[in-house]
Amino acid sequence: MGSKKVAIVGSGLIGRSWAMLFAGAGYNVHLYDVTQELVENAIKDIEEQLQALATSGLLRGNLNASEQLKLITGTKTLKECVQGALYVQECVPENLELKKKVFAELDALVDDSAIIASSTSCTLPSLFSENMKHRQNVIVAHPVNPPFYVPLVELVPAPWTSPEVAIKARQIMEELGQKPVSLSREIPGFALNRIQYAILNECWYLAQEGILDVADIDSVMSHGLGPRYAFMGPLETAHLNAEGMENYCERYGETIFNVSKTLGPVTRFEGANLQKVNQQLVDQVPLENLQEKRAWRNNCLSSLAQLKQNIDKKKTD
Ligand SMILES: NC(=O)c1ccc[n+]([C@@H]2O[C@H](COP(=O)([O-])OP(=O)(O)OC[C@H]3O[C@@H](n4cnc5c(N)ncnc54)[C@H](O)[C@@H]3O)[C@@H](O)[C@H]2O)c1
Ligand SMILES: *[C@@H]1O[C@H](CO)[C@@H](O)[C@H](O)[C@H]1NC(C)=O
Ligand SMILES: *[C@@H]1O[C@H](CO)[C@@H](O)[C@H](O)[C@H]1NC(C)=O
């Protein structure tokens, strides 16, 4: 199975998730971090997570949890980790100098045909791959946390990424059971954060103007747009909300244009409005309860993932 070797560089939150996703698809996963202890801790945590996924019926693929765990090997050196791998997923902290350093190291060790993917949330791939010998093999594969329950992966090429690499990376993501989207070129924020920040910006404005309080602003998403968007994006929603998109724009285009001109301006998230928003959030969820609330959210996402899986199964039956 040497031909199905993948390398995960960095064994934190995201590296562990990738390791599980690849093991679920039957890959031989090699995991590296700066110390042996970090790798060992990561593998222990992966074992627990795989058991929990098996219990909730969300384990991917045809292998059981212990079979998947056996596919994950800790490594002592970066070389041992990436040599002979057909795909490398970089998962080190978000810091441009560190990304540059790690990609330069990878460049010297990887096979010529290996895809070298970065998990970066916001760094353009051109910024850390320009001077690499293997730069045509570099692409961003940006997951969403927690990747097991939120399957989107944004694939973002650098200007020199070969089209074949972009296509192959997409095929691999599909094979893992993730949902890849392929950007045609790099752009700040990729797609997810551009959309997320547009929403955040308007939420900020509504709070600043005192139109709604924080809890009610968040309700607009969690009880209004969110449930809909869990199954269908805004464009298809529009298509369905009239007799097709052209009809939707005939009916609502001018309203949308007029309202959009009144949206809040781009602003920095600081000052008096930050104090106001933060105070309401801390009253709602005190900082010491964040961990508990995260666990609750992950549970909700797990239930939603199960629901979506069942709906997909019915569709194909
Ligand atoms: N956490 C998220 O929600 C999230 C979501 C999507 C993408 N990402 C991106 O994924 C990447 C990793 O994030 P994370 O949350 O897993 O961080 P993390 O801090 O949990 O893990 C990073 C790991 O990298 C290791 N590391 C540091 N230097 C290294 C080196 N030179 N070689 C190998 N390993 C090294 C650290 O020891 C640590 O274990 C970042 O680029 C981040 O932006 C994170
Ligand atoms: C997983 O599969 C292995 C090998 O096929 C088997 O020995 C083991 O009992 C299985 N474990 C569980 C929990 O089903
Ligand atoms: C949009 O704004 C224009 C100019 O103010 C106005 O004439 C028009 O009636 C508005 N249309 C709608 C649908 O709100």
Side-chain angles (χ1 to χ4, degrees):
M1 291 282 281
S3 62
K4 287 250 290 182
K5 172 173 174 176
V6 299
I8 310 292
V9 179
S11 68
L13 192 69
I14 291 300
R16 296 169 195 194
S17 296
W18 279 119
M20 293 190 287
L21 289 167
F22 276 102
Y27 281 87
N28 257 310
V29 180
H30 291 244
L31 189 56
Y32 172 75
D33 208 306
V34 285
T35 73
Q36 270 305 99
E37 198 191 350
L38 285 167
V39 175
E40 281 161 18
N41 289 343
I43 290 179
K44 269 187 219 130
D45 178 53
I46 286 171
E47 182 170 9
E48 285 167 18
Q49 288 197 57
L50 286 172
Q51 297 295 354
L53 286 165
T55 306
S56 56
L58 281 166
L59 205 60
R60 306 271 180 98
N62 304 318
L63 302 173
N64 71 31
S66 51
E67 290 169 322
Q68 293 194 22
L69 186 67
K70 278 202 196 111
L71 288 174
I72 303 173
T73 311
T75 57
K76 290 196 177 70
T77 64
L78 186 62
K79 182 174 177 185
E80 192 192 332
C81 180
V82 306
Q83 211 168 38
L86 62 87
Y87 183 101
V88 179
Q89 183 77 39
E90 168 275 312
C91 314
V92 305
E94 192 68 41
N95 169 310
L96 180 57
E97 288 317 306
L98 180 62
K99 300 273 184 203
K100 277 186 181 164
K101 175 177 159 269
V102 169
F103 273 82
E105 286 169 11
L106 289 172
D107 201 20
L109 297 170
V110 293
D111 285 10
D112 286 341
S113 60
I115 294 178
I116 319 167
S118 173
S119 302
T120 181
S121 308
C122 50
T123 309
L124 298 179
S126 60
L127 297 180
F128 53 78
S129 63
E130 183 168 10
N131 299 320
M132 290 169 62
K133 185 172 79 158
H134 295 101
R135 66 180 196 168
Q136 78 284 354
N137 293 347
V138 172
I139 192 162
V140 165
H142 171 226
V144 185
N145 200 34
F148 236 89
Y149 305 138
V150 187
L152 183 79
V153 177
E154 295 187 283
L155 295 170
V156 187
W160 36 79
T161 303
S162 86
E164 293 73 31
V165 163
I167 291 167
K168 189 74 210 299
R170 188 177 174 109
Q171 285 166 351
I172 292 172
M173 292 302 125
E174 281 167 352
E175 189 190 352
L176 302 189
Q178 296 301 86
K179 298 285 179 201
V181 295
S182 303
L183 279 68
S184 63
R185 63 176 168 87
E186 61 179 28
I187 181 170
F190 310 151
L192 181 136
N193 276 329
R194 293 180 77 83
I195 294 171
Q196 174 163 248
Y197 295 161
I199 292 170
L200 208 46
N201 204 57
E202 187 54 23
C203 291
W204 189 263
Y205 182 70
L206 292 173
Q208 184 170 290
E209 294 297 301
I211 308 288
L212 290 173
D213 64 17
V214 162
D216 279 5
I217 291 171
D218 275 352
S219 278
V220 172
M221 290 304 293
S222 58
H223 300 292
L225 292 171
R228 201 193 241 173
Y229 286 169
F231 298 93
M232 178 182 295
L235 295 172
E236 195 176 346
T237 295
H239 193 57
L240 265 63
N241 279 357
E243 298 311 311
M245 190 62 176
E246 283 188 339
N247 179 247
Y248 181 86
C249 292
E250 267 165 41
R251 284 199 216 171
Y252 306 115
E254 181 155 294
T255 303
I256 294 170
F257 183 72
N258 284 359
V259 172
S260 298
K261 284 193 293 190
T262 73
L263 293 178
V266 173
T267 177
R268 289 184 197 281
F269 290 1
E270 59 189 20
N273 198 40
L274 173 57
Q275 275 180 14
K276 176 164 110 178
V277 169
N278 183 57
Q279 190 54 56
Q280 291 181 45
L281 285 169
V282 168
D283 289 346
Q284 218 170 281
V285 186
L287 296 183
E288 60 272 21
N289 295 355
L290 286 179
Q291 200 48 35
E292 192 187 325
K293 192 76 193 231
R294 284 188 197 112
W296 177 83
R297 177 196 59 189
N298 288 355
N299 257 326
C300 293
L301 289 170
S302 151
S303 302
L304 181 63
Q306 269 166 325
L307 173 65
K308 290 185 65 151
Q309 227 172 49
N310 291 339
I311 292 172
D312 281 349
K313 262 190 216 134
K314 274 192 202 131
K315 244 192 275 174
T316 53
D317 278 350

